[in-house]
Amino acid sequence: MEAKKIMVCDDDQGVLDVIEMMLDSSGYTAFTEINSTNLISEIKKNEPDLILLDLWMPVLSGDQVVRAIRADQNISHLPVIILSASRDGDDIAMEAGADAFLSKPFDMDELIDTIEDLLKNKKGSMSV
C-alpha cells in the first residue's frame, strides 16, 4: 500500500522538521512548505491526501489558505487540520472550513489519531 501524502505548511522551520520526522516515522510521506503563498501550487503539484497548516503565518494566514483550498474545485475535498498556539484559533479555523484544529504545543499521538480519523472518514465518504 502506498504511503499517504501529507502537506505541512508552517512558517517555523523547526516545527516543519519535527512534524516531518514524526510523520515519516509513522509511515506517511511528508511534504513541507514554509511559505504559505506557495502552498496552493505545491498542493496541486504533490497531490497530498491531507493538509496540516499553521494558522498564523506571514502574508497568507492559515484561514485564508483554507478558504482558497475550499474555493478551488480541484482540491476543495482535501481534509485540513489547522495548528495554532492561539486560543481562539479553533473558531477561526472552523469558520474558514478546516476539518480539525489542534492547539500548539500538540501531542504527537493526538495529531496522528486526528490524521488517521480524517483519512478514514475521507475514504469512507468517497466510496460509492
Side-chain angles (χ1 to χ4, degrees), residues 75-87:
I75 57 174
S76 62
H77 65 282
L78 289 171
V80 178
I81 301 172
I82 287 195
L83 309 169
S84 176
S86 163
R87 269 181 243 150

Side-chain angles (χ1 to χ4, degrees), residues 35-124:
N35 184 339
S36 58
T37 58
N38 297 335
L39 188 60
I40 300 293
S41 62
E42 285 298 308
I43 288 169
K44 290 180 177 178
K45 190 170 83 184
N46 294 300
E47 301 180 342
D49 296 290
L50 183 137
I51 299 157
L52 275 178
L53 190 56
D54 183 29
L55 183 56
W56 302 120
M57 294 181 287
V59 190
L60 272 181
S61 63
D63 60 315
Q64 289 173 305
V65 175
V66 174
R67 286 187 172 89
I69 291 167
R70 294 299 178 236
D72 187 321
Q73 263 186 304
N74 299 315
I75 57 174
S76 62
H77 65 282
L78 289 171
V80 178
I81 301 172
I82 287 195
L83 309 169
S84 176
S86 163
R87 269 181 243 150
D88 56 353
D90 194 356
D91 296 336
I92 296 166
M94 293 306 149
E95 279 172 32
D99 296 282
F101 174 85
L102 292 175
S103 56
K104 290 179 179 177
F106 50 85
D107 177 77
M108 292 299 183
D109 292 334
E110 183 185 12
L111 178 61
I112 294 296
D113 288 346
T114 305
I115 289 170
E116 287 174 357
D117 286 348
L118 286 173
L119 289 174
K120 248 185 263 153
N121 292 339
K122 180 186 157 202
K123 230 188 267 170

Side-chain angles (χ1 to χ4, degrees), residues 5-47:
K5 296 188 282 189
I6 299 179
M7 189 91 221
V8 186
C9 186
D10 197 302
D11 60 326
D12 180 329
Q13 188 62 52
V15 171
L16 287 177
D17 293 344
V18 168
I19 293 176
E20 184 176 16
M21 277 189 319
M22 191 251 336
L23 291 172
D24 286 344
S25 70
S26 298
Y28 295 101
T29 301
F31 299 95
T32 61
E33 178 55 57
I34 199 161
N35 184 339
S36 58
T37 58
N38 297 335
L39 188 60
I40 300 293
S41 62
E42 285 298 308
I43 288 169
K44 290 180 177 178
K45 190 170 83 184
N46 294 300
E47 301 180 342

